[in-house]
Amino acid sequence: EVPVAEKSKDGSIELTISEGESYAQINKTRLDQLKSTQKNAGKFAGYQISTVLGLAFLAGLILNVMPCVLPVIGLKILSFVQQAGEHPGRVLMLNLTFAAGMMLVFMLLAALAAFFNVGWGGLFESQTFTIVMVAVIFAFGLSFFGVWEIPIPGFAVATSAGKMAESEGYSGAFTKGVLTTLLATPCSGPLLIPAVTWAINQPPWLTFLVFFSLGLGMAFPYILIGFKPSLVGFLPKPGAWMQTFKQLMGFVMMGTAVFFLNSISEKLSISVLTFMVFIGLACWMAGRISLTSSFGVRARGWLQAVAVIGVGIFVSFSLLIPQHELEWVPFSRQVLNEAVADGNTVFIDFTADW
């Protein structure tokens, strides 16, 4: 935009051209203006796009060693062992499918950031989402202990059939990628928050580009191993240790569930714990279904397990939650005066939290 006058004027204005500032000075002025409009863009305000994308890639790479994702990374290690000796093409496709699951979640997070201004970890600000994740993580933990078998190729351990683990399937790899990324979102590794803060304050296409770089960084080790499976040659051969490792990952899953429980409001804590009991019962019922049963028997068993979860939702989040209670607000003389002026009955609670 080239301003020609401070305000509109009637008539014509003679156009004159004269020597002005150099391009370098104009570019500096433009960058200064950009910084002023990006005052909320965090530490990366004013950085070149290429620099931010590189830092976002590095932030995504670091996410792989964050505590939140360790349970599913453990699963991925087991899948690497299972892939030993398989056709290189299939190993590559499995790892690319795992990466695709990761990238899908990152693109969904980019959409939330670009159009709804939801930052990293914003999903866990929703109590409903957090409760669902606790339920999923708890159910996965029970499957690692052998209580039940998840009916997704790549997750089934087929203990009743006497096998340590079945070959990883594409749907299992994709689901692991999705779950890995969802579990990563509460973590805030180095460079991550500045990159996301910068991305949210950019046009949508740049927001998507930054989140794509984050996802690519997190998925990079698995893509690299897909192209060169020999990189995991240090892992031991399949054996009994896999069962022990799987059970240890079960304890990690339970610890992760406890971690997320900490972010659920105290009002819902008893309800969530009760719901986990129903989930445990449903998983136990599912685990009693024989893999050799007919489709009808297995379908009926799974429907009964789902019904138990439905009953658990009703009992936990309807019957156990008080339907009528006061909405407490911090004391304020102004709020008190307004309530009294409106003719409302006011109950003031003086207490102490030792």
Side-chain angles (χ1 to χ4, degrees):
E1 296 180 358
V2 181
V4 295
E6 294 182 358
K7 59 182 181 179
S8 299
K9 297 180 180 179
D10 295 332
S12 61
I13 300 177
E14 181 180 357
L15 177 63
T16 58
I17 300 177
S18 59
E19 183 177 356
E21 297 176 320
S22 66
Y23 172 79
Q25 182 61 37
I26 293 174
N27 191 47
K28 181 179 182 301
T29 302
R30 183 188 66 83
L31 290 176
D32 291 341
Q33 292 174 344
L34 186 62
K35 286 182 180 180
S36 66
T37 59
Q38 293 183 2
K39 59 184 178 180
N40 296 323
K43 296 180 180 179
F44 292 171
Y47 279 33
Q48 295 291 334
I49 294 176
S50 58
T51 302
V52 176
L53 293 180
L55 293 173
F57 178 89
L58 185 58
L61 187 63
I62 294 173
L63 275 177
N64 286 292
V65 295
M66 291 292 102
C68 303
V69 303
L70 288 181
V72 185
I73 296 301
L75 283 179
K76 195 59 188 167
I77 291 175
L78 288 180
S79 72
F80 285 146
V81 176
Q82 296 165 15
Q83 292 170 10
E86 292 189 7
H87 189 276
R90 187 173 187 277
V91 174
L92 173 61
M93 290 305 301
L94 284 170
N95 283 277
L96 290 179
T97 304
F98 179 80
M102 286 182 158
M103 298 304 299
L104 173 65
V105 177
F106 273 101
M107 291 299 95
L108 292 176
L109 293 173
L112 291 174
F115 304 118
F116 300 99
N117 202 35
V118 176
W120 183 261
L123 290 174
F124 283 89
E125 294 178 3
S126 166
Q127 293 283 282
T128 301
F129 181 83
T130 305
I131 292 171
V132 171
M133 287 302 299
V134 168
V136 171
I137 293 168
F138 180 68
F140 270 104
L142 291 178
S143 73
F144 295 164
F145 290 129
V147 175
W148 70 304
E149 295 176 2
I150 302 174
I152 300 176
F155 282 105
V157 293
T159 52
S160 59
K163 294 188 294 183
M164 291 299 299
E166 293 184 355
S167 297
E168 184 178 36
Y170 293 112
S171 59
F174 185 83
T175 307
K176 288 177 188 176
V178 170
L179 183 61
T180 300
T181 310
L182 288 176
L183 289 178
T185 54
C187 289
S188 55
L191 307 176
L192 178 66
I193 299 304
V196 173
T197 303
W198 186 92
I200 292 176
N201 290 274
Q202 308 305 319
W205 70 272
L206 262 182
T207 303
F208 276 89
L209 196 57
V210 170
F211 273 84
F212 181 85
S213 295
L214 284 169
L216 190 62
M218 190 173 181
F220 180 73
Y222 314 103
I223 297 174
L224 184 62
I225 291 172
F227 280 100
K228 195 173 179 59
S230 60
L231 291 175
V232 292
F234 64 92
L235 292 174
K237 295 181 179 180
W241 71 270
M242 294 176 66
Q243 183 71 17
T244 302
F245 185 82
K246 179 172 67 68
Q247 292 173 351
L248 286 175
M249 287 300 100
F251 285 106
V252 176
M253 275 288 188
M254 295 303 174
T256 305
V258 172
F259 171 78
F260 287 127
L261 274 172
N262 188 50
S263 61
I264 295 176
S265 66
E266 184 178 351
K267 175 183 176 181
L268 296 173
S269 58
I270 296 299
S271 296
V272 174
L273 291 174
T274 303
F275 183 46
M276 292 172 71
V277 173
F278 279 94
I279 291 176
L281 175 60
C283 291
W284 175 77
M285 292 172 60
R288 292 173 60 85
I289 303 172
S290 175
L291 296 176
T292 59
S293 301
S294 64
F295 174 78
V297 173
R298 285 184 284 122
R300 185 166 58 253
W302 278 99
L303 286 175
Q304 291 172 349
V306 172
V308 168
I309 293 178
V311 172
I313 293 174
F314 174 75
V315 172
S316 303
F317 303 107
S318 181
L319 297 183
L320 293 183
I321 295 182
Q323 301 301 311
H324 306 285
E325 64 177 18
L326 294 173
E327 291 292 335
W328 295 96
V329 296
F331 176 79
S332 165
R333 176 67 65 178
Q334 179 183 353
V335 174
L336 173 62
N337 293 337
E338 291 176 353
V340 173
D342 292 338
N344 295 323
T345 300
V346 180
F347 183 85
I348 301 179
D349 182 26
F350 292 88
T351 184
D353 185 9
W354 301 106

